[in-house]
Amino acid sequence: MKKVVLNIVAVLLITLCACEQENSIEEQTAEDVKENTSKKAGASQRGLCIYSLTLDKQICDDRDMTCRCDPSGSVIGVCAQIQCLPNVFNPITPEPVYLNLCKIIRCDWVYNDPWSVYDNVDPRVFNSIKDVLKLTIKSDTKAIPFAMNKNILGLQFYKPNNMMYRDSKTLEAEPSMFHLKNTVILDKVYLKKLGLKGNVIKPGKYPVIFNKRNKTYNVILKVK
């Protein structure tokens, strides 16, 4: 009789341990699913990024080439600060908005020199990204980046600023030149997602293409 009782107790203990282990595995699996879902949701939140160009010192971390703007710095130059918006423009399709920018402005141009773009591309092809996505951008230092191909980056401004100049050799009333006096490093991860193979802009004079129809100022830059 004692042997039968001991066997029953042993079976009950084994069953109890198995249930506890199964519950533990289920809880861990649920946590893993929750964590992975959270990571995916977080990654999909970065829908569109805007740059603010300010006259500040640019401080970069050589390890990951990320930069920030320091207004208290002693060296003054053009610094680009990135600000990313949530992906709320197309809630039905999880595709981030930056993947749709090629539908607003073509990104398969064959020109690899900014001034070739200035000479050969009709300004009317530069649709207003702000208008299409129904954004409000009032600052003259904020611009939406877009790719024309893997080497050419565009920055679309919606007002002229003090970094743009009018070429005295032309009769154009609007500025046609963007003078960059220092090297600027942009966000590598976002530019790669746009389709660009570089994120460094060297000093130089770059063209500004003005679209009279939608009042956009498109600065055409070469990245390395």
Side-chain angles (χ1 to χ4, degrees):
M1 183 68 180
K2 289 182 179 179
K3 186 175 181 180
V4 173
V5 172
L6 289 174
N7 288 337
I8 293 173
V9 171
V11 171
L12 289 173
L13 287 174
I14 292 171
T15 304
L16 180 62
C17 290
C19 289
E20 288 181 353
Q21 185 175 5
E22 184 178 352
N23 289 337
S24 176
I25 292 172
E26 288 178 354
E27 289 176 2
Q28 184 64 39
T29 303
E31 287 297 321
D32 291 342
V33 170
K34 183 178 180 182
E35 183 179 355
N36 290 336
T37 302
S38 176
K39 285 180 179 178
K40 289 179 181 178
S44 66
Q45 291 302 307
R46 202 185 198 202
L48 181 78
C49 294
I50 298 173
Y51 276 110
S52 294
L53 271 63
T54 57
L55 295 176
D56 296 317
K57 182 180 180 180
Q58 182 177 249
I59 300 176
C60 299
D61 188 335
D62 293 334
R63 293 170 297 180
D64 56 5
M65 294 298 285
T66 57
C67 302
R68 62 182 179 86
C69 299
D70 181 12
S72 63
S74 58
V75 179
I76 301 298
V78 174
C79 182
Q81 190 74 42
I82 193 169
Q83 175 190 9
C84 295
L85 305 176
N87 186 30
V88 297
F89 305 103
N90 192 359
I92 298 175
T93 304
E95 183 183 62
V97 172
Y98 59 76
L99 295 180
N100 291 326
L101 292 184
C102 292
K103 298 176 183 177
I104 302 174
I105 300 174
R106 278 178 51 197
C107 53
D108 59 351
W109 298 94
V110 297
Y111 307 109
N112 287 312
D113 177 70
W115 289 102
S116 294
V117 176
Y118 181 81
D119 292 332
N120 295 287
V121 176
D122 188 331
R124 291 174 294 181
V125 306
F126 294 97
N127 295 311
S128 173
I129 302 171
K130 174 179 72 73
D131 292 347
V132 172
L133 299 180
K134 302 186 184 308
L135 300 172
T136 300
I137 300 177
K138 296 181 179 180
S139 173
D140 62 355
T141 60
K142 289 188 175 182
I144 298 178
F146 61 93
M148 297 198 73
N149 55 44
K150 63 182 181 180
N151 298 310
I152 301 296
L153 166 71
L155 290 178
Q156 189 171 89
F157 291 87
Y158 302 96
K159 290 181 180 179
N161 56 51
N162 57 9
M163 290 171 274
M164 299 179 188
Y165 300 90
R166 179 180 173 274
D167 189 351
S168 59
K169 297 178 183 179
T170 67
L171 299 176
E172 295 290 336
E174 299 295 337
S176 59
M177 190 181 300
F178 182 88
H179 193 183
L180 187 62
K181 297 181 180 180
N182 60 288
T183 297
V184 174
I185 299 176
L186 302 178
D187 186 88
K188 185 176 183 178
V189 174
Y190 187 68
L191 262 60
K192 185 177 180 180
K193 289 180 178 179
L194 287 178
L196 293 149
K197 70 174 186 179
N199 67 313
V200 178
I201 305 173
K202 294 295 185 180
K205 294 180 179 179
Y206 296 94
V208 178
I209 301 178
F210 177 65
N211 186 340
K212 298 178 181 178
R213 184 179 60 183
N214 56 27
K215 309 298 182 186
T216 58
Y217 297 81
N218 301 276
V219 178
I220 311 301
L221 305 161
K222 189 176 179 80
V223 294
K224 295 183 178 180

